[in-house]
Amino acid sequence: MDSSDWMKQLLLVGIGTTSLVAEKIKEVSDQWVKDGRIDSKEAQRFVEDVMQQIKVGQGNFESTMERQLQNMLQDLGVSRQSEMDELRGRIDRLERQIRDLENKMWR
């Protein structure tokens, strides 16, 4: 499983968790309105504020997880895609140079 698959799975877990939290927050705020603790506008603001905080936290979590994953892969010696692409380009150039030299030798 490559790093992008792990990241996708982590994000899906985060999205699922966020959905559950949003649902529970909505249920709690609806119950507070029903109990007369707060009015519907306050409940809506409460839900929006909490969801905004979750979105900010989730963005921070995602970027932190991505950095940690990149560091871990680097520590394990796993090359980045850009490094692999650069090496493939260098190999292609070297193969071309070898073919050119071989063609010159046979002329």
Side-chain angles (χ1 to χ4, degrees):
M1 179 179 292
D2 67 13
S3 63
S4 63
D5 289 342
W6 281 67
M7 185 61 72
K8 287 175 188 173
Q9 286 186 354
L10 284 173
L11 292 176
L12 289 175
V13 167
I15 291 168
T17 303
T18 301
S19 297
L20 286 173
V21 168
E23 189 176 310
K24 291 300 177 184
I25 289 171
K26 181 74 172 121
E27 288 175 13
V28 168
S29 67
D30 288 346
Q31 187 62 46
W32 287 352
V33 170
K34 191 185 239 183
D35 294 345
R37 292 180 174 180
I38 59 176
D39 65 30
S40 61
K41 287 184 181 181
E42 288 174 318
Q44 184 177 357
R45 277 195 304 272
F46 170 72
V47 170
E48 289 171 358
D49 288 347
V50 171
M51 291 309 298
Q52 182 60 34
Q53 290 175 8
I54 288 172
K55 286 179 185 176
V56 168
Q58 187 175 9
N60 292 338
F61 172 76
E62 290 171 6
S63 62
T64 300
M65 286 301 297
E66 187 174 345
R67 275 195 312 276
Q68 288 178 349
L69 183 58
Q70 286 175 351
N71 290 339
M72 182 178 65
L73 291 173
Q74 186 176 4
D75 290 346
L76 292 172
V78 177
S79 300
R80 287 192 219 146
Q81 185 64 46
S82 60
E83 293 171 327
M84 296 299 292
D85 292 342
E86 180 183 338
L87 289 173
R88 283 186 186 105
R90 290 176 66 187
I91 290 169
D92 289 344
R93 283 191 301 277
L94 288 171
E95 286 175 341
R96 243 186 332 246
Q97 288 175 350
I98 290 171
R99 275 194 309 271
D100 290 345
L101 287 172
E102 287 174 341
N103 287 339
K104 285 181 183 177
M105 286 177 55
W106 292 107
R107 289 184 190 169

